[in-house]
Amino acid sequence: MRLNTSLLIGFSAAVLGFMKRPSTCPRTPQDATRYDAKLPNLFVFASGRPVNTVADFQCRQREVSELFQTLELGIKPGRPNAVHGSLSGGNLTVTVSVHGKSISFTPTVSYPPNGVAPYPAVIAFGALTIPAPSGVVIITYNNDEIAAQQNQSSRGQGKFFELYPNLKVNGAMTAWAWGVSRILDALESMPDTNIDSKKVAVTGCSRDGKGALFAGALESRIALTIPQESGSGGTACWRLSDYENHNGTTQTASEIVQENVWFATQFDEFANNTVDTLPFDHHMLAGLVAPRGLLVIDNIGYEWLGPWSSFGCMKTARRIYQAVGAPDHLGYSMSPSHLHCSFPSYKLPQLQVFVDKFLFDKASDTDFFMPAGYITFDNAQWVDWSTPNLF
Ligand code: MCU
């Protein structure tokens, strides 16, 4: 089992040639897996070298991204040579060509009735489930056509796999994040759209909230990431969801790989009982977004989503934001039970301050992790590392 993983890392890095790192970044050992019952430490490279500076932190983010892709998600291919965008009647057609094959997909674009060009934008996975912020373009992205997510039979189905048939082992999450990157490529080449490609947020709820989080983690051009009720496989941590689960009350990695094709086939071996050998957990996924904006919207009403796990995972992620001097760039909002994917109006000010800061460059107070004392999370039980000061 270990051997397969090592081979996979070697194959992925060598053959696909992704992640060209600056020479100062330490090399990742071939087998980076190790037993860790607690939430792993982002501030030590897989080689054992500590992370001491912001430059180290950026190297470590690349390493962690590489490990997520290798062990959990599947490889996200880099920018293709040919990406073309055209906008007509509210449809943004994005055409991507790779090795003589082409696909097109068509997110819809809705301009705000008010506001000032160039407009920021929100990319909504599936459909928008947060209130449309004022002055912002809404881009609705049909992620399911890029990679299907019906059930187990969706493996390798969708437009991404038409271009990359040798990546059919990949999970849908990587393919969706790749699609978001291509939307940004297209927008960058289309100044006439009056959409500011440097001020783009991504959001989605539930399974699409997991997708939004991965898009923000794997694409550093995203300015603001808003996962809503994403649950296990999103803002929850695998280790914590296993702990929270009581006879099937909470979704775990071992369940999730049976249910759908969100993750790569190589994740199965970890999901089935060895999540504690993963050299990361999802606090480190949020750490890939740092120091960019991350607003996590949760709902305590569904034990299946692992609300305690998500709370503890994001509380730990906030230490990562703290280390780079931006704890207030990760906002967390848990609410009492309400309908899944509905947005309680009392959360509007929380959304607005994040939109103001990250899409409009306006000073705003985004320093909240709430409600305080609502759930308790024992740091000492789950975290055995301290938070360095890297800035
Ligand atoms: C929270 O996301 C998922 C969850 O992982 C699944 O187990 C469940 O079937 O569906 C949720 C969802 O996407 O609901 C719309």
Side-chain angles (χ1 to χ4, degrees):
M1 175 174 94
R2 232 358 107 66
L3 183 67
N4 288 344
T5 305
S6 319
L7 283 175
L8 199 65
I9 293 175
F11 171 82
S12 311
V15 179
L16 295 164
F18 79 120
M19 304 311 285
K20 293 204 173 54
R21 303 187 201 185
S23 52
T24 49
C25 293
R27 289 180 70 83
T28 306
Q30 280 237 318
D31 185 355
T33 59
R34 75 180 63 155
Y35 175 74
D36 194 345
K38 297 191 178 187
L39 298 176
N41 186 358
L42 182 99
F43 303 110
V44 180
F45 287 94
S47 66
R49 195 180 107 180
V51 170
N52 290 323
T53 62
V54 169
D56 283 349
F57 180 78
Q58 288 163 349
C59 281
R60 178 68 169 137
Q61 281 183 313
R62 286 162 184 252
E63 179 175 77
V64 170
S65 175
E66 186 178 328
L67 289 168
F68 265 106
Q69 291 177 62
T70 308
L71 303 175
E72 182 169 318
L73 299 171
I75 306 304
K76 178 178 177 242
R79 187 176 185 150
N81 289 334
V83 180
H84 180 260
S86 69
L87 183 64
S88 165
N91 293 318
L92 172 69
T93 302
V94 181
T95 303
V96 189
S97 306
V98 176
H99 300 316
K101 283 191 211 156
S102 289
I103 60 140
S104 290
F105 60 107
T106 311
T108 60
V109 175
S110 165
Y111 284 85
N114 48 20
V116 182
Y119 303 98
V122 173
I123 298 176
F125 274 58
L128 189 70
T129 48
I130 57 172
S134 169
V136 172
V137 163
I138 305 301
I139 300 175
T140 307
Y141 169 45
N142 181 2
N143 50 310
D144 289 15
E145 68 170 347
I146 300 298
Q149 55 162 336
Q150 294 290 321
N151 50 42
Q152 282 287 1
S153 70
S154 302
R155 177 71 64 197
Q157 304 291 315
K159 293 186 175 183
F160 173 85
F161 303 104
E162 291 173 28
L163 280 188
Y164 299 104
N166 59 338
L167 295 181
K168 285 196 173 181
V169 293
N170 274 19
M173 298 285 165
T174 333
W176 299 340
W178 174 91
V180 166
S181 297
R182 304 296 72 87
I183 294 173
L184 292 178
D185 297 344
L187 291 177
E188 281 176 359
S189 70
M190 301 170 74
D192 290 357
T193 58
N194 271 326
I195 297 173
D196 183 351
S197 61
K198 292 191 169 53
K199 290 282 179 281
V200 175
V202 66
T203 190
C205 186
S206 210
R207 59 194 62 200
D208 290 338
K210 307 184 213 300
L213 178 60
F214 279 108
L218 297 180
E219 174 51 80
S220 59
R221 288 175 291 175
I222 291 292
L224 172 60
T225 302
I226 312 175
Q228 185 183 12
E229 298 180 45
S230 61
S232 301
T235 54
C237 279
W238 298 124
R239 287 164 175 83
L240 300 179
S241 291
D242 274 357
Y243 186 82
E244 183 168 3
N245 177 39
H246 298 288
N247 300 318
T249 53
T250 299
Q251 183 161 41
T252 61
S254 67
E255 193 284 337
I256 217 166
V257 298
Q258 310 283 334
E259 181 182 324
N260 217 306
V261 293
W262 294 312
F263 301 97
T265 53
Q266 62 264 31
F267 185 55
D268 289 1
E269 76 175 69
F270 297 99
N272 294 316
N273 291 323
T274 56
V275 294
D276 48 14
T277 64
L278 287 169
F280 51 73
D281 213 318
H282 278 208
H283 61 302
M284 284 160 66
L285 183 63
L288 296 183
V289 184
R292 291 172 290 127
L294 176 57
L295 172 59
V296 178
I297 299 170
D298 264 346
N299 172 2
I300 207 164
Y302 297 87
E303 185 52 28
W304 181 245
L305 308 192
W308 173 83
S309 171
S310 178
F311 176 88
C313 196
M314 291 303 104
K315 204 155 189 211
T316 310
R318 210 164 195 252
R319 289 168 165 239
I320 299 170
Y321 272 77
Q322 168 86 50
V324 290
D328 58 331
H329 290 192
L330 193 176
Y332 183 86
S333 179
M334 174 66 89
S335 51
S337 181
H338 57 75
L339 195 65
H340 188 41
C341 297
S342 64
F343 188 95
S345 56
Y346 57 80
K347 290 197 181 196
L348 266 167
Q350 298 165 1
L351 174 63
Q352 192 59 48
V353 286
F354 267 83
V355 166
D356 284 347
K357 181 175 280 179
F358 293 100
L359 298 188
F360 287 103
D361 280 336
K362 280 195 214 156
S364 67
D365 181 1
T366 54
D367 191 4
F368 60 85
F369 200 97
M370 60 198 299
Y374 196 51
I375 302 185
T376 52
F377 178 74
D378 181 3
N379 278 313
Q381 187 183 346
W382 291 102
V383 180
D384 62 6
W385 38 269
S386 55
T387 309
N389 196 341
L390 302 176
F391 57 98

